[in-house]
Amino acid sequence: MAAPTCGRSSRLHAVLAAVLFLVVARPSLAESPIKTVVVVVMENRSFDHMLGWMKRLNPEIDGVTGDEWNPTNASDPSAGRVYFGEGAEYVDPDPGHSFQEIRQQIFGSDDATGPAKMDGFVQQARSLGPNMTDAVMNGFSPDSVAVYRELVEEFAVFDRWFASVPSSTQPNRLFVHSGTSGGATSNNPVLLAEGYSQRTIFDNVHDAGQSFGVYFQDVPAVLFYRNLRKLKYLTKFHPFHNAFRDHASRGALPNYAVVEQHYMDSKAHPANDDHPSHDVFQGQMLVKEVYETLRSSPQWNQTLMLVTYDEHGGFFDHVPTPVAGVPSPDGIVGPPPYNFSFDRLGVRVPTIMISPWINKGTGQLSPFVHYYHWLA
């Protein structure tokens, strides 16, 4: 079985679409044994928060040692320090992760013209409440997220995978399968209901004569792409429970499969998307189920599974996010008051790649470019 690997790759979520399109929809351009790609996009956790302490298992991972800290006041050199710990547990309420709040976390102020100091997490957390600092400045020990611990030991970790937009959930989720948010920098209910019009990897896979499927537990979030609402795609949507396991057991999974979580939390049916204040145990069980289903499928030797997160959710991460040299995907400028040009990234998020084709002792995956214009 494959062993620990560590990908040090500065990249956008957008490049996921490029790489998977080359592997799945254009096999002549990328000779690969991979015929089925399964994507699971979790919610609102930073790399350090979920995987930072995995550095104990693999020193090559750019995780945490306990020496990482943030000042209580980013503008005062003599301010007290809060060190990053491993006492993460149930998080409630949700840390700040709007465009403005993330700007403060990255730069320590509302001035986004300087370097990414990553020194404003404590200051911003304290502005929301006295109990928020502990939530933001703690990560999970490897034993607390045991499914990830096993996957990290066996497969590949990307420690340079940044959210595409320094903003909230839906702009980043729009990027994942289309390489752009269509100008979105917030979760705008009206625009989401209308649907975003950009072309997606689903369209490219379909037009290339390949197959895709969306395995959902609630209303599928990919329906925020207007194109996915077309009648011709109706048969591409399947209930996750029963259908995913059935398709996998019969070797009938499509070339590009997206697993969507149960986003709506209740006592009888707890959410499993990892979005605070949802219990990460449920998310671990979902990832475990998907992985074990694939491992027992006759398609396993042709499969790549990718687990990533849409954005960091306000949790601390020590690696500076790229703020220079990031190209806009389409030249669209975001709405007032920020008029964002999509020329810098969000905070680093956890990403694990799983496949029987990940070799033992790889150590470091080849770097990817920041952005690939796969729609051109």
Side-chain angles (χ1 to χ4, degrees), residues 65-339:
T65 64
D67 293 330
E68 297 77 17
W69 57 275
N70 250 205
T72 56
N73 185 336
S75 61
D76 181 2
S78 64
R81 297 181 176 186
V82 177
Y83 284 84
F84 190 73
E86 57 178 309
E89 51 186 24
Y90 182 77
V91 176
D92 186 29
D94 194 9
H97 53 280
S98 67
F99 185 92
Q100 181 177 0
E101 290 166 327
I102 294 172
R103 183 174 60 185
Q104 294 167 354
Q105 292 161 7
I106 291 173
F107 297 101
S109 71
D110 287 325
D111 181 4
T113 59
K117 298 179 180 178
M118 313 304 285
D119 64 354
F121 288 89
V122 169
Q123 177 177 274
Q124 197 281 318
R126 288 191 168 192
S127 73
L128 299 179
N131 298 324
M132 192 63 74
T133 301
D134 285 344
V136 166
M137 293 300 292
N138 272 289
F140 289 97
S141 67
D143 287 344
S144 296
V145 282
V147 174
Y148 284 172
R149 180 195 65 206
E150 296 301 314
L151 295 177
V152 165
E153 289 189 305
E154 298 295 339
F155 298 104
V157 177
F158 286 91
D159 61 7
R160 284 297 186 278
W161 192 300
F162 297 89
S164 299
V165 189
S167 188
S168 50
T169 290
Q170 295 307 334
N172 282 290
R173 282 190 168 266
L174 288 169
F175 250 96
V176 171
H177 304 292
S178 70
T180 177
S181 70
T185 56
S186 65
N187 301 337
N188 186 313
V190 174
L191 295 179
L192 290 169
E194 291 177 354
Y196 284 80
S197 62
Q198 64 260 40
R199 187 173 175 85
T200 70
I201 191 173
F202 303 105
D203 300 305
N204 280 9
V205 168
H206 178 268
D207 290 352
Q210 304 295 314
S211 58
F212 76 83
V214 178
Y215 297 85
F216 64 94
Q217 299 176 58
D218 294 329
V219 177
V222 295
L223 288 176
F224 291 138
Y225 300 116
R226 196 181 306 163
N227 282 0
L228 267 291
R229 303 174 186 179
K230 293 178 178 178
L231 186 61
K232 68 178 181 179
Y233 292 149
L234 181 63
T235 60
K236 307 298 185 182
F237 290 83
H238 314 280
F240 172 75
H241 295 292
N242 299 326
F244 184 75
R245 187 176 296 275
D246 174 61
H247 291 182
S249 67
R250 293 189 287 109
L253 286 172
N255 299 115
Y256 189 59
V258 174
V259 173
E260 293 219 26
Q261 300 90 336
H262 177 44
Y263 303 111
M264 302 174 186
D265 193 45
S266 69
K267 187 174 182 179
H269 300 286
N272 55 16
D273 60 350
D274 278 359
H275 193 301
S277 56
H278 304 160
D279 190 348
V280 298
F281 172 79
Q282 301 297 333
Q284 293 289 282
M285 292 300 99
L286 172 63
V287 172
K288 180 176 184 288
E289 180 178 359
V290 174
Y291 168 66
E292 291 183 344
T293 298
L294 295 176
R295 278 296 304 269
S296 61
S297 169
Q299 291 174 264
W300 171 240
N301 285 333
Q302 298 179 331
T303 297
L304 181 150
M305 174 183 173
L306 188 98
V307 181
T308 188
Y309 283 70
D310 51 16
E311 47 110 345
H312 80 296
F315 294 98
F316 171 81
D317 196 85
H318 78 280
V319 173
T321 183
V323 296
V326 177
S328 169
D330 47 24
I332 297 175
V333 175
Y338 304 114
N339 301 311

Side-chain angles (χ1 to χ4, degrees), residues 342-363:
F342 296 88
D343 54 0
R344 55 186 174 87
L345 303 186
V347 176
R348 191 175 61 147
V349 293
T351 302
I352 303 172
M353 186 176 286
I354 301 150
S355 174
W357 291 95
I358 295 176
N359 294 325
K360 196 163 189 167
T362 300

